[in-house]
Every structure is written in structure tokens, then in C-alpha cells.
Amino acid sequence: EAGVTQFPSHSVIEKGQTVTLRCDPISGHDNLYWYRRVMGKEIKFLLHFVKESKQDESGMPNNRFLAERTGGTYSTLKVQPAELEDSGVYFCASSRNIRSYEQYFGPGTRLTVT
Amino acid sequence: ILNVEQSPQSLHVQEGDSTNFTCSFPSSNFYALHWYRWETAKSPEALFVMTLNGDEKKKGRISATLNTKEGYSYLYIKGSQPEDSATYLCAFISPDTGRRALTFGSGTRLQVQP
């Protein structure tokens, strides 16, 4: 069974530009989560999809961040326009259903905004 | 606001030493606790999911205990090896209905010298 994959592994953009991160969860997993780790701090929750619906988006920092999961399969996270403080590692995780305790993580996308 | 505290922040040990780390979490509002092992640029790897007070789990040389009444979990590594070098993360889930967001501690960075 393939794990959670994320693309790209690393992105370097200038302040003001747009970046789109992609996450492919484990096949059959209804739940998809986005997290990020900035400036060496703890990993923080961004949002949670159940299939294509946003179950919890309480961690989204502001309206420059837009997450989608059309069709309930892969998800994208767009940052527009990017700011310097958006630099960090963006992780995606998935779990089979809402009762599952385990969340399986991807390797992350390292975003650098210059 | 949930606070998950991990100590120590970093640890240097010699190969063969046994070591342990602590994760503290809110005891009044508990659902589950996760331990992950994370090497930079790789996916955080799930070690344990713990839900019951008094739980003890073991995987090879690594084991964990859980005390939900006092709000702490210990992770033990017996006979540390260089390949155990990584950041060990604990993450807490509160029982808020429908929320499965993980709240992470800042991690304990372990370096095992050969």
C-alpha cells in the first residue's frame, strides 16, 4: 500500500507569488489533514477534510490560504500571495475514517519564501 | 488552548545508553495520545497510539507508558543505537466531537553517538 505522497518536496518562491502544494492520501482514506511546522516550532494543525467536505478549518491562519479536495481524493493547498512568515514544512496526513486514531503522514513540502 | 509539553528539548547519549523522554498534556480533557518518530525530510513515523490510563506499549527496544489522570506519557528507548537518532514527537487529541486535529509538542531531538 502506497503511503501519503506530497508534491513538490521543496519549493522556493518570492514574496507575493503563489504556490500550490499537493497531497495524495492513502487510497481509501476519507480523512485528510494539513499541518505545518514553521521556524522550528511545533507542528500545527491547519484543517481537516472528510471526503470533499471541510470538517474543521480552525487552524487556517488567514484568507491567503485556500485548501480544496475536489472529488474527495487528492487535496491542494494554495498560498496566495505568499509572505515570508509562510516559510516552513507543510505536512499532509490521512486516516481511514473518523473513528481511526492513526494518522499517516507524508514527507512534507518544504516551502521557502524569499 | 491545549498545551503539550515535551522534555528534554534535546538529548545526546552514547550508543548502548537507555533513555527516556516526557510528554505532558491536559489531563482533564483526554481522548488519545500519539508518539511519532521523525527524521528531517522524511514522513513522521507512527510509533504508538495510546488511549487508556495505564497503557503500556512496546515496539522492539522502544516502549511507552500513559498516565491520563496526571497527564503524562513516557517514551523509553533501551540500548540506544545511532539509527535511533531522530526527533520524537508526541501529539494529543481532545474528545471534542468531530475534531481529530493533533496538537503536537515541540519534540525531543535525540542524538546517539556511536
Side-chain angles (χ1 to χ4, degrees), chain A residues 4 33 35 37 41-45 48 55-56 58 89 91 98-108 110, chain B residues 31-32 34 36 38 40-46 49 51 87 89 93 97-107:
Chain A
V4 177
Y33 306 82
Y35 296 86
R37 185 174 190 253
K41 295 185 178 178
E42 62 272 17
I43 298 172
K44 284 194 182 292
F45 168 78
H48 169 201
Q55 173 80 7
D56 179 357
S58 61
V89 181
F91 291 101
I98 200 71
R99 293 179 299 279
S100 300
Y101 294 119
E102 293 90 353
Q103 292 185 23
Y104 299 89
F105 278 76
R110 179 171 292 278
Chain B
Y31 186 74
H34 295 236
Y36 286 91
W38 179 46
T40 304
K42 295 186 178 179
S43 304
E45 173 198 352
V49 180
T51 57
T87 298
L89 301 163
I93 300 181
T97 303
R99 291 206 77 224
R100 291 295 177 266
L102 294 173
T103 300
F104 281 87
S106 54

Side-chain angles (χ1 to χ4, degrees), chain A residues 41-106:
Chain A
K41 295 185 178 178
E42 62 272 17
I43 298 172
K44 284 194 182 292
F45 168 78
L46 295 177
L47 89 160
H48 169 201
F49 283 100
V50 178
K51 297 184 180 178
E52 66 274 13
S53 299
K54 292 175 184 174
Q55 173 80 7
D56 179 357
E57 51 185 327
S58 61
M60 294 289 264
N62 52 60
N63 59 11
R64 295 187 293 103
F65 289 76
L66 175 64
E68 294 180 323
R69 193 183 182 197
T70 307
T73 54
Y74 70 91
S75 174
T76 58
L77 180 65
K78 181 190 286 188
V79 185
Q80 180 182 30
E83 298 289 344
L84 298 178
E85 63 264 25
D86 300 332
S87 296
V89 181
Y90 289 76
F91 291 101
C92 175
S94 72
S95 65
R96 183 167 295 281
N97 55 52
I98 200 71
R99 293 179 299 279
S100 300
Y101 294 119
E102 293 90 353
Q103 292 185 23
Y104 299 89
F105 278 76

Side-chain angles (χ1 to χ4, degrees), chain B residues 30-100:
Chain B
F30 179 83
Y31 186 74
L33 188 89
H34 295 236
W35 280 100
Y36 286 91
R37 177 181 180 279
W38 179 46
E39 292 181 68
T40 304
K42 295 186 178 179
S43 304
E45 173 198 352
L47 292 174
F48 305 112
V49 180
M50 309 181 81
T51 57
L52 298 175
N53 184 44
D55 250 357
E56 291 188 26
K57 298 210 172 180
K58 188 174 181 183
K59 183 189 272 192
R61 294 178 292 98
I62 305 177
S63 60
T65 60
L66 178 69
N67 183 325
T68 60
K69 293 187 189 307
E70 295 182 36
Y72 65 83
S73 176
Y74 292 138
L75 187 79
Y76 301 91
I77 302 180
K78 185 177 178 182
S80 303
Q81 299 296 308
E83 58 265 29
D84 296 329
S85 298
T87 298
Y88 291 82
L89 301 163
C90 74
F92 171 85
I93 300 181
S94 77
D96 293 344
T97 303
R99 291 206 77 224
R100 291 295 177 266

